Amino acid sequence: METTTSKAYGSEAEGTPLHEMEIKRRELLPTDVEMEVLYCGICHSDLHQIKNDFGGTMFPIVPGHEILGRVTRVGAQVTSFKVGELAGVGCIVDSCGHCESCEEDLEMFCEKGVTFSFNSPDRHLGGATFGGFSKSYVCDQRYMLHMPNFENLGAAAPLLCAGITVYSPLKHWNAGPGKKVGILGIGGLGHMAIKIAKAMGAEVTVFTTSPSKVEDAKRLGADYAVLSSNSEEMSKYTAQLHFIIDTVSAKHDVNSYLNLLKHDGTVVLVGLPPEPLEVGAFNIIMGRKSFAGSNIGGIAETQEMLNFCYEHNITADSEIIAMQEVNEAFERLEIGDVKYRFVIDMASL
């Protein structure tokens, strides 16, 4: 297959700092779209992958799956995009398209294996897919998203992962007027969950281990904010919430939050702790409670989320950085020193 080259930032081995490199992109197939990458968000899962926390990283790796750009070329059969339009690529860039999950617009659960925007087997070029820490990206039009013209484009890039990761469970578990929603953790995911849940009309209570984030949760729109180490405050919420989104990506005790649910309530995990979490049997059988998980969303739902966020003027609280600052950004992300999402201005590459 013919290829083109693109400047990128990546790493050849676990523990090696990211640095400038040159990668190959496939030459356009008839239904492919190429875009110049303008901004790319940094997600906690990027950190997990470059550290090989899950044991499946394929090196060399180029991270990035919150990819916002402008269309530069289209294949001969492309009908959905035109040169010059804004576009986005999130986590999903390929699937079988024919299994039950794909036919239900749930490509992330493709029964034959979804292809992610980086660190997935590349069905066209072999090796692994390379992500958005690069000057260009090529994707089939079916998996590319129409990006609304947000006033702050850079701050909209994190919607492509963080946004859909919380929008999907909020919609699935029917967040809206009359629903009391808890959000565990205020980071890249948690701060987006606050904004989107409030826009849906839910009452939002945030739980955080950080005293400094209690007031910030209210600035973001939360109705209530609770310091989770305060047992007296926590006890006030026993059996009060319809469901809780758990955004924490480290080992933690979920049982204390299961106790805050009404009967038939659910704690939904969207964070990715690298270690298993323990759930006490009595914490779920008493009250018919559930501990569930949710993983991004399909292409149609991601487009729906982008349109919803544009309508409600929702973007991520972002710190825009140069590509050359990415290693420092990952170090800061690991200790939670960001409010609340790093976004790379790809013009700096």
Side-chain angles (χ1 to χ4, degrees), residues 34 70-74 81-85:
E34 177 192 75
R70 193 175 298 278
V71 176
T72 50
R73 292 192 298 155
V74 297
F81 292 88
K82 296 179 180 178
V83 172
E85 289 184 333

Side-chain angles (χ1 to χ4, degrees), residues 75-202:
Q77 297 176 17
V78 170
T79 58
S80 301
F81 292 88
K82 296 179 180 178
V83 172
E85 289 184 333
L86 291 172
V89 172
C91 300
I92 304 169
V93 295
D94 205 357
S95 66
C96 78
H98 304 295
C99 68
E100 182 178 352
S101 295
C102 286
E103 289 181 351
E104 293 179 1
D105 292 326
L106 298 172
E107 297 93 343
M108 66 282 197
F109 304 138
C110 176
E111 293 156 26
K112 295 187 178 179
V114 63
T115 300
F116 294 112
S117 44
F118 79 97
N119 198 44
S120 263
D122 190 320
R123 299 180 184 183
H124 299 282
L125 297 181
T129 53
F130 291 129
F133 289 14
S134 57
K135 292 295 286 185
S136 66
Y137 203 91
V138 175
C139 181
D140 187 284
Q141 65 176 344
R142 294 175 299 164
Y143 303 93
M144 191 164 274
L145 297 143
H146 292 277
M147 202 72 196
N149 190 19
F150 288 89
E151 183 176 349
N152 186 345
L153 270 182
L159 298 177
L160 292 159
C161 176
I164 185 58
T165 296
V166 296
Y167 180 91
S168 186
L170 284 167
K171 181 184 176 186
H172 184 78
W173 274 273
N174 300 312
K179 288 295 181 72
K180 295 182 178 182
V181 176
I183 297 169
L184 175 52
I186 313 176
L189 294 176
H191 94 286
M192 290 304 310
I194 295 170
K195 295 182 180 185
I196 293 173
K198 281 302 296 178
M200 289 178 169

Side-chain angles (χ1 to χ4, degrees), residues 26 49 55-56 58 68 71 88-89 113 132 162 202 207 218 220 229 232 287 290 294 311 318 329:
R26 67 177 182 263
Q49 294 288 5
M58 295 179 281
L68 191 158
V71 176
V89 172
F207 300 91
K218 295 177 181 177
L220 291 163
S229 59
E232 183 178 345
S290 301
S294 182
E311 179 185 348
S318 301

Side-chain angles (χ1 to χ4, degrees), residues 35-50:
M35 69 176 180
E36 173 194 7
V37 181
L38 302 177
Y39 297 97
C40 189
I42 298 179
C43 176
H44 210 283
S45 58
D46 295 325
L47 177 63
H48 282 311
Q49 294 288 5
I50 63 173

